[in-house]
Amino acid sequence: MNPGETYRHLMVYKFYTKQNNLGKIIAPNTQVEKVAGGFKFTEGPVWHPDGFLLFSDIPANTIYKWQPEQKNEIFRQPSGNANGNTLDRSGRLVTAEHSNRRLSLTQKDGNIVTLASHYQGKRLNSPNDLAVKSDGSIYFTDPPYGIKSEQEELGFYGVYRLAPDGTLTLLVDDFVRPNGIVFSPDETKLYVNDSQRGHIRVFDVKPDGMLENGKLFAELKPPSKEGAADGMKVDIQGNVYSTGPGGVWIFDPSGNLLGIIEVPEAPANLAWGDSDYQTLYITARNSLYRIRLKIKGMP
C-alpha cells in the first residue's frame, strides 16, 4: 500500500452451527448487520406494527425508537431503567422497569400506569422480561438485577402471571436468576431461562393459565464465550431462540441445538421485526444488530 492510497476493509460477521442444522433458518452467506451503536447496555427490543423498533438502554434510563434510514429518537426518558418491553393485545407498550420495580402500561394517550408493583404487600424485585398470552394475561420474570440485596423484600426470584383483571399469581419461585420468557406458538408451553444456571426450563400451560410439569429443556454453558441465557423468542415452527454465550442459540422444539448465530457483542435480547417478522433484531451491549432469516417469527 502506497501513501495516499485508500484502504478499504470489509468486516463480515459469520454464524456457525454445532450440528450444521441452520440451513432451513439462515440462507447461505447471510450476515449479522450492525444498525446502531454508541449505547450503554441495550435490552428489551420490540417491533411496533407502525414500522419502528423500541428498545431499552438500561443504564441510560432511556427507551429509544429506531427506524430504518432515520436517526435514533428518544421515546421515553426517564424510563424507570426499563428492561424488557412487549406489546399487549391492543398494541400498547408494556414495560418491565428496574428502578421503579414494576410493570407499566403506556396507554394510547401516552399516560403511563402501573400494572404490578407488589406481591402480597411486598415490593417486586426488579421485573426483567415479559410475554403476553392471547387471553391478555402477562407472564414475567422478577430477578434482583436492578436492586441491591438490602432492598429485597420477597426473598425469592419468581415467575408471575398477571391476569387481565389485575390478579397477580406467583407461578414458580425456585429460579436463581429467572430472565427470558416466551410461549410456544400454540401457547401450550412456556419457556423460562435462568441466567445463573445457564439453562432453559419448559412448563406445560394449563387451561387456567397456571404451570405444571416443569423440566429442563436445554443448557447454554460453554465457558469460553461471553454472555448468558437472557432474552428469548420463538419462530412459527416452534424453534426457540435464546441469547447466550457467544450469540443467539437456536433449539428445535425438542431441545436439540440447531446452531448458534455469532454476534460481535454479547447479546442480551431479541425481537422479530419488519413487516413480515422475518428479521431478527438483537440488542447486544452497546449496539443493535439484525439478521434476515428464512422463517417468520411469532410477533
Side-chain angles (χ1 to χ4, degrees):
M1 180 175 177
N2 297 318
E5 290 183 345
T6 301
Y7 172 71
R8 291 185 174 86
H9 174 71
L10 177 64
M11 181 175 291
V12 178
Y13 303 122
K14 297 182 178 180
F15 65 87
Y16 71 87
T17 70
K18 183 178 181 180
Q19 298 177 339
N20 195 28
N21 289 329
L22 287 182
K24 294 182 179 180
I25 295 177
I26 305 175
N29 301 316
T30 301
Q31 302 173 16
V32 172
E33 176 191 5
K34 182 176 179 177
V35 296
F39 306 103
K40 294 181 179 180
F41 191 99
T42 57
E43 250 283 7
V46 61
W47 183 263
H48 195 282
D50 288 344
F52 58 86
L53 186 83
L54 297 176
F55 65 94
S56 303
D57 187 336
I58 301 175
N61 203 15
T62 302
I63 297 176
Y64 286 99
K65 176 181 178 181
W66 176 89
Q67 288 179 280
E69 311 302 329
Q70 296 189 30
K71 292 183 178 181
N72 296 317
E73 298 179 29
I74 292 177
F75 178 80
R76 180 181 303 158
Q77 187 182 60
S79 67
N81 297 103
N83 191 331
N85 296 286
T86 192
L87 301 179
D88 72 3
R89 309 311 293 185
S90 299
R92 298 173 299 181
L93 183 67
V94 184
T95 301
E97 300 182 13
H98 269 188
S99 59
N100 288 335
R101 303 171 70 171
R102 67 172 184 172
L103 289 190
S104 69
L105 172 70
T106 303
Q107 298 177 322
K108 293 294 185 180
D109 61 5
N111 288 327
I112 303 170
V113 298
T114 298
L115 294 178
S117 60
H118 291 71
Y119 175 70
Q120 295 186 344
K122 297 181 179 181
R123 294 192 71 181
L124 296 172
N125 297 308
S126 53
N128 190 289
D129 213 349
L130 57 170
V132 175
K133 198 167 180 281
S134 59
D135 64 1
S137 56
I138 302 170
Y139 291 64
F140 68 95
T141 55
D142 186 40
Y145 287 126
I147 58 174
K148 298 178 180 178
S149 59
E150 59 267 26
Q151 295 177 291
E152 294 183 21
E153 297 182 18
L154 290 169
F156 59 85
Y157 314 120
V159 179
Y160 295 87
R161 176 182 184 265
L162 181 66
D165 65 3
T167 301
L168 184 63
T169 303
L170 175 66
L171 301 174
V172 190
D173 65 359
D174 63 349
F175 280 85
V176 179
R177 293 292 186 273
N179 202 323
I181 185 168
V182 68
F183 286 99
S184 61
D186 62 4
E187 299 184 335
T188 62
K189 307 285 185 184
L190 181 72
Y191 301 94
V192 183
N193 62 29
D194 192 312
S195 295
Q196 187 158 321
R197 288 175 170 160
H199 66 213
I200 302 170
R201 291 164 66 182
V202 60
F203 301 85
D204 292 329
V205 182
K206 298 167 63 176
D208 63 0
M210 300 299 104
L211 305 180
E212 63 180 358
N213 302 326
K215 62 182 180 181
L216 181 67
F217 175 74
E219 294 188 280
L220 307 85
K221 288 186 175 178
S224 60
K225 298 287 186 178
E226 183 185 5
D230 203 325
M232 289 194 294
K233 294 293 183 290
V234 298
D235 64 27
I236 60 173
Q237 296 184 7
N239 298 309
V240 178
Y241 298 63
S242 175
T243 61
V248 177
W249 295 51
I250 304 177
F251 301 91
D252 70 16
S254 297
N256 300 309
L257 179 63
L258 299 178
I260 302 172
I261 302 174
E262 287 190 334
V263 182
E265 301 174 70
N269 215 326
L270 60 168
W272 300 105
D274 294 351
S275 60
D276 58 3
Y277 288 94
Q278 212 164 309
T279 297
L280 189 65
Y281 285 88
I282 305 166
T283 52
R285 295 302 187 263
N286 309 123
S287 307
L288 173 67
Y289 296 86
R290 68 181 175 186
I291 183 172
R292 284 290 291 178
L293 302 182
K294 295 166 66 176
I295 297 180
K296 292 181 182 239
M298 293 295 297

